[in-house]
Amino acid sequence: MKRLFDIFSSLFILLILLPLFLLIAILIRLDSAGPVFFIQKRVGQNFMPFDLYKFRTMVVDASQRGPQITSAGDSRITKIGRFLRKTKIDELPQIINVLKGDMSVVGPRPEVLKYVEMFKDDYKNILKVKPGITDYAAIEFRDEECVLKKFKDPEGGYIKEVLPLKIKLYNKYVKERSLSTDMKLIFLTLWKIVKG
């Protein structure tokens, strides 16, 4: 049932948002040199790696210029990238991951291998389910970049304070997962976006 919902909803969203995708692609190319999409390895269900898609919001060599964690005001973020991150439009290409079956619409947010390895025992439970676009943690940490800006060392703050809180929320989802929980989280996500 969940997979059928993912397939039909992702197809519907992709068809509706195709004009927006084309506009964003043009703006990204006009703003800075490089590809439209940012593709990054993430850890999926049962620890299977997959390529996660996002609209590119940073300069091409961003990984050589700083950490994997990004805080608000990071100089590597492009002009259009700031808008895409603030509105979360940069996350929309993950609908492709949902259609492919790497992700679900609702589920724990997928993480990079580096951080999964640090909390491997926790992720043994979390990765019993497919990662998703939204969940309790995505709603709670919608302004994660602003939260990280408060730390002198954003990556250290992420590892020691933010990620442990997110893991608690991931486990909450795994424990409560159901169709009604998914519907509730989709509604809360949309409400958070509309509310700003």
Side-chain angles (χ1 to χ4, degrees):
M1 191 73 184
K2 188 175 171 75
R3 182 62 189 140
L4 280 173
F5 175 78
D6 286 340
I7 291 168
F8 286 115
S9 60
S10 58
L11 276 171
F12 177 74
I13 293 166
L14 280 171
L15 286 171
I16 294 294
L17 295 182
L18 188 59
L20 177 64
F21 272 46
L22 292 171
L23 175 63
I24 296 299
I26 293 165
L27 292 173
I28 289 169
R29 293 305 299 269
L30 289 173
D31 187 43
S32 64
V36 169
F37 293 108
F38 169 69
I39 302 170
Q40 186 181 50
K41 284 283 179 197
R42 297 287 177 105
V43 183
Q45 189 175 22
N46 300 319
F47 291 90
M48 290 292 292
F50 70 95
D51 291 326
L52 178 131
Y53 302 105
K54 286 187 178 189
F55 283 122
R56 182 176 60 83
T57 60
M58 302 178 84
V59 293
V60 175
D61 60 347
S63 59
Q64 282 81 50
R65 293 196 201 180
Q68 289 181 314
I69 294 298
T70 312
S71 60
D74 193 311
S75 61
R76 298 173 296 168
I77 302 172
T78 62
K79 288 176 185 176
I80 187 67
R82 292 188 196 289
F83 169 75
L84 296 178
R85 282 172 173 264
K86 187 175 181 181
T87 57
K88 298 296 180 184
I89 291 173
D90 64 315
E91 307 278 357
L92 288 177
Q94 287 165 52
I95 292 295
I96 298 165
N97 289 115
V98 174
L99 186 59
K100 285 175 65 183
D102 302 321
M103 293 173 64
S104 182
V105 173
V106 182
R109 290 293 299 148
E111 192 55 87
V112 295
L113 182 61
K114 176 181 177 180
Y115 303 127
V116 170
E117 287 291 335
M118 290 178 183
F119 297 88
K120 197 162 188 177
D121 286 342
D122 293 296
Y123 275 99
K124 283 176 185 174
N125 182 56
I126 294 164
L127 292 176
K128 287 177 184 175
V129 302
K130 278 186 187 178
I133 293 175
T134 191
D135 74 325
Y136 291 115
I139 294 165
E140 182 70 25
F141 290 96
R142 188 175 187 275
D143 298 319
E144 186 178 305
E145 289 182 5
C146 294
V147 172
L148 293 173
K149 193 178 181 181
K150 297 172 186 174
F151 297 105
K152 192 173 181 181
D153 171 18
E155 186 174 31
Y158 183 75
I159 294 165
K160 291 175 185 174
E161 295 192 37
V162 175
L163 188 52
L165 291 173
K166 289 170 86 172
I167 284 170
K168 283 182 183 178
L169 292 169
Y170 296 154
N171 280 313
K172 175 180 165 73
Y173 173 75
V174 173
K175 187 179 178 182
E176 297 178 0
R177 72 187 188 276
S178 67
L179 188 60
S180 61
T181 299
D182 285 6
M183 293 299 108
K184 177 181 79 174
L185 287 166
I186 289 168
F187 173 78
L188 288 172
T189 301
L190 293 171
W191 175 250
K192 193 96 174 178
I193 291 166
V194 170
K195 204 175 161 188

